Amino acid sequence: MKITPAWRVYILGATLCVALTICSRNFGDRGGPYFMASLTLAGISYLLAIREFFATPRFSRRVVVIGLVLAAGWHIEFLRVPSGADDDIHRYVWDGRLQRLGYNPYLVVPSDPAVKGLHTPETRNLNNPDLPSPYPAGAQLFFRAVTAIQESTFALKIAFVVCELAIILVLLDLLRRKQAAHLVLAFAWNPLLAVEVAGSGHIDIVGALLLLVSAVALVRRRRATAAVGLGLAIAVKLLPVVLVPLYWKRVRIRDAALAAAVVGLLYVPFLNHGRIPIGSLGTYVQSFRFNGPVFAALHRVAPPQLLAGLAVLVGLVTATWLRSRESELSPDQRTLTTEDTELHRGNTVASPLCNSVPSVVQGFEFAWPMAASLLCAPVVFPWYLLGLLPFLTSASTLLIILWTVSIIPTYVQWHLRASGRPWGSLPGWVMLVEYGIVAIVASIIALRRRVSRPALPCQADQ
């Protein structure tokens, strides 16, 4: 009996659920053999599910509902386990606590003996205690708001999962209009969400939500909301700044001025003698290194500040190039890409995504500039990819989707450190696997493009 696409999705979803449940039970030994084996299985299952989502024009509502219920199940498993002893979330609690006690997190050093009495059991062993906070003002105010309700890492993890749920609801609203609601599972099933949102708890998911709201507002021509949303996303995590060219001539000058004013107001509580604080951001650029092959290769010939600027420039140039390709951002204006036509065993057929989602939500414009910038960054932790996930719902972002899985081997670093080895560069094989897989698939796609027939244009929605 032939297995239908729906049943294949059910099987893959069940496999994901089992694998991620096992992964959550071994979260305390992040990067250990059981953690890595189960997370790798989850990543492979996710990629196979992505193939089903992209190759099938439409799934029933039951598939979507069951898929989301399964995702809720493994998220609950990760919520139940405590965050790692030195996860960033402990710094979030500290920053929120400092603000409520009347201190400036950009000025206070956690290891300073003068503030020893301000610590709680959850903040006493936070990471990088000799540095003040590096997080932008939007993130700081989020920490303050959540810790005002309950001062704990668990409360922050709940808040982050709520943001993830909000992203799912926004995507569902968009995708249902194009009769492709099942593509929400391309977001909800990504293993990084379970590990880095429900497990470790990272602020990046808040920025992802704000950026998605901005993108949707841009599609619907709500220009002020789009501009302010982008500003707030940048105020939570700096990476979306590379997307500014996408808003050129799509928002009015007054909208941009409003966004700048809102972001400026966020920094008012943290001003120090009239200066905008950056905390330890400069030290981060100067000294922190992890999983950045391009930055590492160029570091011998250029200073880190210049290379950090280059990473931003690469993202801006990518966004500018993509912006120049489309004179107007519209759900009805999109050309079928070769990747879309070759999803199923290389067959050149009309893509099931052809009229499914607006290009901005597919991520062709939003995901690629951020991915290009990250590729050149000095540090690429797995959770840095969280901001890209809401835009990975089409074959045009297949390589980035693959990257969210191929980055899994970097978790080995946590296990090596727990085994007594100092934090340092990754083993050579890790980045070879991570970036080598992406490079090989990129080469295959490029080769297929050369030998395939010209792409067929999508028919405009009636």
Side-chain angles (χ1 to χ4, degrees), residues 65-405:
V65 171
I66 292 177
L68 292 177
V69 169
L70 286 171
W74 63 67
H75 273 72
I76 291 173
E77 291 297 322
F78 274 93
L79 275 173
R80 294 172 56 187
V81 300
S83 300
D86 62 350
D87 278 342
D88 292 343
I89 197 169
H90 299 282
R91 169 76 70 162
Y92 303 165
V93 175
W94 169 253
D95 286 358
R97 178 175 174 78
L98 281 182
Q99 293 175 68
R100 292 185 297 105
L101 293 176
Y103 294 90
N104 190 333
Y106 294 115
L107 301 178
V108 176
V109 176
S111 62
D112 187 343
V115 298
K116 182 178 180 180
L118 301 181
H119 280 285
T120 68
E122 287 193 316
T123 67
R124 192 163 291 120
N125 297 315
L126 54 75
N127 58 16
N128 302 305
D130 297 327
L131 297 174
S133 182
Y135 300 103
Q140 295 291 350
L141 294 175
F142 185 87
F143 303 153
R144 179 171 184 168
V146 175
T147 56
I149 299 172
Q150 183 180 350
E151 190 180 284
S152 69
T153 56
F154 182 73
L156 278 163
K157 286 171 64 172
I158 290 292
F160 295 145
V161 171
V162 168
C163 290
E164 182 185 334
L165 176 60
I167 291 175
I168 290 173
L169 294 176
V170 173
L171 287 176
L172 273 176
D173 180 59
L174 280 167
L175 297 169
R176 280 186 302 189
R177 299 185 182 197
K178 294 295 179 177
Q179 299 182 346
H182 67 278
L183 291 178
V184 73
L185 299 180
F187 168 79
W189 281 15
N190 193 295
L192 286 183
L193 287 175
V195 176
E196 300 299 349
V197 177
S200 296
H202 283 284
I203 188 65
D204 304 66
I205 197 67
V206 180
L209 171 60
L210 292 168
L211 187 57
L212 179 61
V213 169
S214 175
V216 172
L218 202 59
V219 168
R220 296 176 178 174
R221 303 187 185 279
R222 298 173 183 172
R223 300 172 181 176
T225 302
V228 172
L230 176 64
L232 291 175
I234 295 171
V236 168
K237 214 51 177 170
L238 297 177
L239 179 60
V241 72
V242 302
L243 301 176
V244 168
L246 298 181
Y247 290 73
W248 177 252
K249 292 186 177 180
R250 289 172 173 167
V251 299
R252 299 159 295 194
I253 294 179
R254 67 187 184 191
D255 300 324
L258 175 62
V262 169
V263 174
L265 288 174
L266 296 181
Y267 275 94
V268 169
F270 308 103
L271 292 178
N272 181 34
H273 302 294
R275 296 180 179 179
I276 297 177
I278 62 171
S280 58
L281 183 60
T283 304
Y284 171 88
V285 173
Q286 184 71 33
S287 305
F288 283 51
R289 302 289 180 269
F290 181 81
N291 192 32
V294 175
F295 193 98
L298 298 177
H299 184 47
R300 299 179 181 179
V301 298
Q305 294 87 346
L306 178 62
L307 293 179
L310 176 64
V312 175
L313 180 61
V314 168
L316 290 170
V317 169
T318 304
T320 301
W321 176 70
L322 291 172
R323 177 67 183 94
S324 68
R325 293 187 56 174
E326 293 188 24
S327 60
E328 178 130 7
L329 184 63
S330 170
D332 300 329
Q333 293 178 347
R334 179 177 180 261
T335 300
L336 183 63
T337 64
T338 306
E339 293 97 327
D340 287 337
T341 66
E342 297 179 348
L343 286 171
H344 203 280
R345 302 179 183 272
N347 294 331
T348 306
V349 295
S351 168
L353 301 178
C354 188
N355 285 313
S356 60
V357 280
S359 61
V360 65
V361 180
Q362 291 172 347
F364 188 75
E365 285 189 323
F366 274 60
W368 278 107
M370 293 191 290
S373 186
L374 281 176
L375 184 63
C376 301
V379 177
V380 187
F381 288 120
W383 57 89
Y384 284 12
L385 301 184
L386 291 176
L388 284 63
L389 297 188
F391 305 97
L392 307 184
T393 55
S394 81
S396 62
T397 58
L398 184 60
L399 291 178
I400 306 177
I401 293 172
L402 181 61
W403 190 14
T404 67
V405 174

Side-chain angles (χ1 to χ4, degrees), residues 425-441:
S425 60
L426 286 163
W429 67 267
V430 172
M431 285 195 287
L432 182 62
V433 170
E434 176 186 356
Y435 295 102
I437 290 175
V438 177
I440 290 172
V441 175

